[in-house]
Amino acid sequence: MALVVMKFGGSSVADADKIKNVASRVIETRRRGNKVVVVVSAPGDTTDDLITLAFKLTENPDAREMDMLMATGEQVSIALLTMAVKARGTRAISLTGSQAGIYADSCHTRARITKIIPTKIKRELVRGNVVIVAGFQGVNPNDDITTLGRGGSDLTAVALSAALGADECRIYTDVDGVYTTDPRMVPDARKIDVISYDEMLEMAGSGAQVMQGRSVEVAKKYGVNIRVLSSFAKTAGTLITGEPDKENQMEAAVVRAVTLDRNQAKFSVLDIPDRPGIASGIFGALSADGINVDMIIQSAARQRSNDISFTVSRTDAKKTAEILRKLRGRTGASGVAEDRGVAKVSIVGVGMKSHPGVAANMFSALAASGVNIEMISTSEIKVSCIVSEKQSDKAVSSLHKAFGLGAKSAKRKRK
């Protein structure tokens, strides 16, 4: 008897009909003789609606109370889905994150899981129940509810798979797998059958929203294979695993995907004195306030001063601007420039490690499309460029075509 963990996102449980559809998928899996643990997100846009409501009451809502508020969305889902499953004659029980034994640290709204003690889950599985767990939440050392950040239900599912030694971890979404780019932007985008943890991590970090990056990190650490599937169609989906098999490696493209992240803001601290400790002071202050810096460029010193440019998520732009204004006098900078109209476009692929000239091809394709590059960042399997958000769609389309990632290009290669 296999143990299967199934996770369903908010769009999959957005209304009664969709909840019934999920219930059918769960029951079908259980009737095949599997033990089943289900993780669900809040219905539809519930979490966003709750956040909006909180900010109508105060400009600075208390983080503990925000977690208390946001966790209610998942509790709606688990109760309704459990009712739907039981109404069809299958035994089921719903559990909150704390009841499921998910322990996290005290960093409200973006907590990290510290341990999972799934005693109650195992007991309910032995009793023959489908166990339906609230994603996105755990309990901290003060016995307070704490949430795991955006996409946290993915993390719940993968972490439970690791803790329970699950045979399968299935992530059900509103798409039928991982694509070479967003198919809503590029209709010729192609579904990827198998992708490595490293490639998926880079894609998640570069704007692809199919999987939360932290969940892929946990999957890689504990060897959890993830299959991304559609909630609404029965397809093979995409397998996220370790190094693909030899056959896939032989046929693997140098570049596997193009990603776009519109949630970007660029800051430049101008004419900073060229002396030790300046950069440490700037980025230390940002880190202390929980702001994650992505790309960084420091210009060559001129007349004993230089500029430092970097990017942060657009959601952190206001806080970043406030911190930099406070630091301006201490750093001796002449000013701070800010641009919230930028986006990050990236190419990703493990094959890039052994193929020189990939970055040059990327820059040529963007130049041919009239897209100006403002910043560049590279790793072994990723090249990212900051471009104007107005040119971002054009940038994605041109790169997708230049690297032959479309379905039509794949057919020509097979011939």
Side-chain angles (χ1 to χ4, degrees):
M1 182 180 287
L3 172 57
V4 179
V5 174
M6 309 170 73
K7 179 263 175 178
F8 293 90
S11 61
S12 302
V13 290
D15 56 40
D17 287 339
K18 290 179 178 178
I19 291 171
K20 289 178 182 179
N21 175 63
V22 169
S24 296
R25 301 292 289 265
V26 170
I27 292 166
E28 180 185 0
T29 304
R30 178 70 184 92
R31 286 178 178 171
R32 287 179 178 173
N34 301 300
K35 294 180 179 179
V36 181
V37 175
V38 184
V39 175
V40 286
S41 301
D45 297 323
T46 299
T47 301
D48 289 336
D49 292 343
L50 291 171
I51 292 171
T52 300
L53 181 59
F55 276 90
K56 286 182 179 179
L57 301 176
T58 172
E59 291 184 358
N60 188 28
D62 181 81
R64 180 191 181 277
E65 302 311 322
M66 283 298 292
D67 274 351
M68 186 70 77
L69 175 68
M70 291 189 292
T72 62
E74 279 69 22
Q75 291 172 215
V76 170
S77 292
I78 60 173
L80 292 174
L81 180 56
T82 301
M83 292 176 192
V85 171
K86 294 176 79 170
R88 299 271 295 273
T90 297
R91 296 186 57 174
I93 187 170
S94 63
L95 301 178
T96 64
S98 60
Q99 290 173 324
I102 300 171
Y103 295 86
D105 62 26
S106 295
C107 189
H108 283 292
T109 73
R110 52 179 184 271
R112 291 187 171 272
I113 295 174
T114 54
K115 61 183 176 181
I116 296 180
I117 304 176
T119 306
K120 189 172 179 62
I121 294 177
K122 290 179 178 179
R123 185 165 62 241
E124 295 300 338
L125 288 172
V126 169
R127 290 174 176 168
N129 280 313
V130 171
V131 181
I132 301 176
V133 179
F136 180 59
Q137 62 181 247
V139 61
N140 71 16
N142 297 320
D143 290 328
D144 291 328
I145 293 173
T146 189
T147 62
L148 308 176
R150 282 291 182 184
S153 293
D154 288 349
L155 180 58
T156 302
V158 174
L160 282 175
S161 297
L164 293 166
D167 298 281
E168 293 184 50
C169 179
R170 304 174 187 171
I171 305 293
Y172 292 86
T173 72
D174 54 0
V175 296
D176 61 347
V178 180
Y179 277 74
T180 50
T181 196
D182 188 340
R184 292 167 297 186
M185 189 183 308
V186 181
D188 192 40
R190 178 173 49 84
K191 184 171 69 69
I192 301 171
D193 293 329
V194 182
I195 192 166
S196 70
Y197 295 130
D198 289 336
E199 288 171 321
M200 194 67 241
L201 273 170
E202 291 286 17
M203 288 179 67
S206 303
Q209 298 179 7
V210 179
M211 286 290 300
Q212 187 213 43
R214 285 164 58 194
S215 67
V216 183
E217 289 176 357
V218 172
K220 180 181 178 181
K221 181 177 180 180
Y222 292 98
V224 176
N225 289 334
I226 304 168
R227 190 168 290 278
V228 180
L229 301 155
S230 168
S231 297
F232 311 109
K234 293 185 178 180
T235 61
T238 298
L239 178 65
I240 304 171
T241 184
E243 288 297 321
D245 59 49
K246 292 181 179 178
E247 182 182 349
N248 281 315
Q249 285 185 17
M250 288 173 64
E251 297 297 326
V254 174
V255 174
R256 301 293 304 280
V258 180
T259 61
L260 176 65
D261 185 356
R262 300 182 193 274
N263 184 30
Q264 293 281 305
K266 184 178 76 169
F267 288 86
S268 296
V269 186
L270 308 174
D271 297 319
I272 304 171
D274 186 31
R275 64 172 186 262
I278 294 293
S280 173
I282 293 172
F283 296 115
L286 294 172
S287 175
D289 219 326
I291 296 172
N292 184 47
V293 176
D294 187 3
M295 300 168 68
I296 304 173
I297 292 178
Q298 179 170 316
S299 66
R302 60 189 187 285
Q303 297 179 346
R304 297 185 179 179
S305 67
N306 53 40
D307 302 336
I308 294 180
S309 297
F310 60 91
T311 60
V312 298
S313 69
R314 200 173 293 173
T315 50
D316 285 331
K318 182 179 178 182
K319 197 189 304 184
T320 300
E322 291 171 356
I323 292 170
L324 293 179
R325 277 196 292 270
K326 292 176 183 177
L327 289 174
R328 182 177 167 184
R330 257 183 281 167
T331 60
S334 66
V336 175
E338 177 185 353
D339 186 356
R340 301 191 191 189
V342 297
K344 180 173 69 174
V345 61
S346 307
I347 55 173
V348 178
V350 291
M352 292 164 55
K353 289 186 286 188
S354 55
H355 286 75
V358 175
N361 291 341
M362 179 185 190
F363 305 151
S364 296
L366 293 175
S369 298
V371 176
N372 184 53
I373 299 171
E374 299 183 23
M375 297 176 72
I376 300 167
S377 174
T378 65
S379 72
E380 277 194 323
I381 65 171
K382 181 184 73 173
V383 183
S384 297
C385 296
I386 293 295
V387 301
S388 167
E389 187 178 9
K390 294 178 181 178
Q391 295 185 307
S392 60
D393 286 8
K394 186 198 297 185
V396 170
S397 296
S398 64
L399 291 174
H400 197 264
K401 183 178 180 180
F403 287 101
L405 297 177
K408 293 177 182 176
S409 297
K411 288 180 181 177
R412 285 195 294 269
K413 289 176 184 177
R414 284 196 294 269
K415 289 179 181 178

